[in-house]
Amino acid sequence: MLDFSRQYSPLRAEILDAIAQVCDSQSFILGPRVAAFEAAAAAACNARYGIGCASGTDALWLALAAAGIGDSTAATRPAGLPDAVITTPFSFFASTSCILRAGARPLFADIDPRTFNLSPDAVAELLRLRVGGNVKAILPVHLYGQCADFDAFNALRQGRSDLLLIEDAAQAFGAAWNGRPAGSLGDAAAFSFYPTKNLAAFGDAGLVTTSSPELERRARSLRTHGMPRRYFHDEVGWNSRMDAIQAAVLEVKLRYVDEGNRQRRDRAARYDELFRAAGLAAASESASTKDGIVLPYTDPRATHVFHQYVIRAPRRDALREALAARGIGSEIYYPVPLHLQAALKGLGYKPGDFPHAERAAAEVLALPMYPELRDDEQQTVVEAIRTFYA
Ligand SMILES: Cc1ncc(COP(=O)(O)O)c(C=O)c1O
């Protein structure tokens, strides 16, 4: 699926030098190195502020808590309807667990079957029905590296200044919507720098971006125990500080992330070409595996960064086994939609509630994708798929 060493080799000297500088400084947590990375990353996202933290999961929680959503920072639980946040049932678990951790209630709406992202129409319907709590925010995920439709989400909050938009941009560093970068599309955004991500640390790390001074101040305070002054605690926060070594590595890699994303788009276009040439691809606008493999759809307004190249495949599980037998990696992101996860049973959803998400979970398959993937390797992947269907 991935070969990290191909990215590391050419950057090795630069990265080791940056790490050595941290070791020489003996300043390991937060400090000038983290501040420098926060500023550079925020600028790249066209956001005023960046707040480095320990993971993408923490970044999501910090964004929600800083916006005052849920009761996780309150000393006592307030009376009345719980805060609710609308999100997608088709994502990594953290997109929803962060809402529960913030002390709010997740409300799911189905996805757009072409992009796999949260459907603005489904969200509009949920807002119209006014069920499930006091909706404080919408939390779309830029799944696989393609931004959710922020024109439509912004339109939904016209006349509702109390409704916030929080981006789960964990998979989308460098992506854009109508030319506006992920990280600047809503009130706040969360990025993950988990080692498989397009911008990747040498361990866990994350970032909140925002252009609101109030959100910035609060997120910064919450990541260090709600302690703007040493040992004076204004509210109940958490320890989610970023390490200087991670910031140093990320600052180096930030210089190369746009080039890496461009190469990912080239690799995606090459897969498309190979699938079409092999006669395997369904008609491009079709979203049905009855006609063959459904290739990834890119909205014309999106600058996709192909964190993953995800097809819909007939007989997906058998195909995956056949690829594995030939030593070809693939992955299912995600096999169980969130509303059907055992841990989230208490939310009261049932099979059939979100048919598009459920069908996606049964059909999607992510193929090897990274900037340094070679043409001959892609040919091998597509040839193995052709042989399977033959
Ligand atoms: C969509 C999405 N949200 C949130 C996260 C959580 O990020 P992390 O693993 O850095 O906590 C991830 C990454 O794993 C993700 O893919």
Side-chain angles (χ1 to χ4, degrees), residues 55-57 60 91-92 94-95 141 168 170-171 192 194 197 205 334:
S55 69
T57 304
L60 282 166
S91 181
F92 180 59
S95 309
V141 180
D168 181 341
Q171 302 186 359
S192 163
Y194 183 76
K197 296 294 193 276
Y334 296 92

Side-chain angles (χ1 to χ4, degrees), residues 32-285:
R33 209 73 216 207
V34 171
F37 170 68
E38 288 175 337
C45 299
N46 211 9
R48 273 173 77 184
Y49 308 107
I51 301 98
C53 61
S55 69
T57 304
D58 276 6
L60 282 166
W61 175 78
L62 279 168
L64 291 170
I69 294 165
D71 58 19
S72 65
T73 63
T76 52
R77 191 172 281 268
L81 266 184
D83 289 352
V85 177
I86 299 176
T87 191
T88 167
F90 192 57
S91 181
F92 180 59
F93 189 68
S95 309
T96 288
S97 65
C98 67
I99 299 168
L100 290 159
R101 284 269 168 248
R105 180 186 151 82
L107 293 179
F108 293 123
D110 211 349
I111 57 169
D112 172 336
R114 287 202 303 182
T115 61
F116 303 107
N117 279 328
L118 182 63
S119 157
D121 290 342
V123 173
E125 180 62 11
L126 198 54
L127 287 171
R128 198 183 59 75
L129 293 173
R130 291 174 189 278
V131 289
N134 191 3
V135 177
K136 288 283 180 66
I138 306 171
L139 195 158
V141 180
H142 305 322
L143 200 69
Y144 307 145
Q146 173 164 226
C147 288
D149 181 351
F150 264 72
D151 293 341
F153 289 121
N154 267 307
L156 280 182
R157 73 161 167 188
Q158 290 311 313
R160 289 199 53 169
S161 56
D162 57 331
L163 183 64
L164 298 179
L165 294 178
I166 311 283
E167 300 168 68
D168 181 341
Q171 302 186 359
F173 199 97
W177 183 257
N178 270 329
R180 289 174 54 213
S184 69
L185 298 170
D187 296 281
F191 289 96
S192 163
F193 304 125
Y194 183 76
T196 58
K197 296 294 193 276
N198 292 29
L199 178 60
F202 280 10
D204 273 317
L207 184 83
V208 178
T209 57
T210 181
S211 291
S212 152
E214 175 51 24
L215 284 183
E216 186 259 354
R217 186 198 60 72
R218 209 162 163 208
R220 213 172 272 292
S221 162
L222 286 170
R223 84 171 165 186
T224 50
H225 289 294
M227 182 180 69
R229 258 174 72 208
R230 212 167 172 75
Y231 306 130
F232 288 80
H233 301 268
D234 288 355
E235 57 184 334
V236 181
W238 199 248
N239 167 15
S240 184
R241 300 173 296 226
M242 183 186 266
D243 290 351
I245 285 182
Q246 300 308 340
V249 170
L250 286 164
E251 215 188 332
V252 171
K253 291 203 185 180
L254 183 60
R255 300 201 271 275
Y256 301 94
V257 70
D258 285 344
E259 175 60 12
N261 286 339
R262 195 190 55 69
Q263 286 173 285
R264 284 171 184 270
R265 281 191 287 276
D266 285 353
R267 293 299 98 208
R270 183 65 181 138
Y271 266 135
D272 288 354
E273 221 174 80
L274 289 167
F275 278 119
R276 293 208 171 95
L280 289 167
S284 60
E285 292 300 300

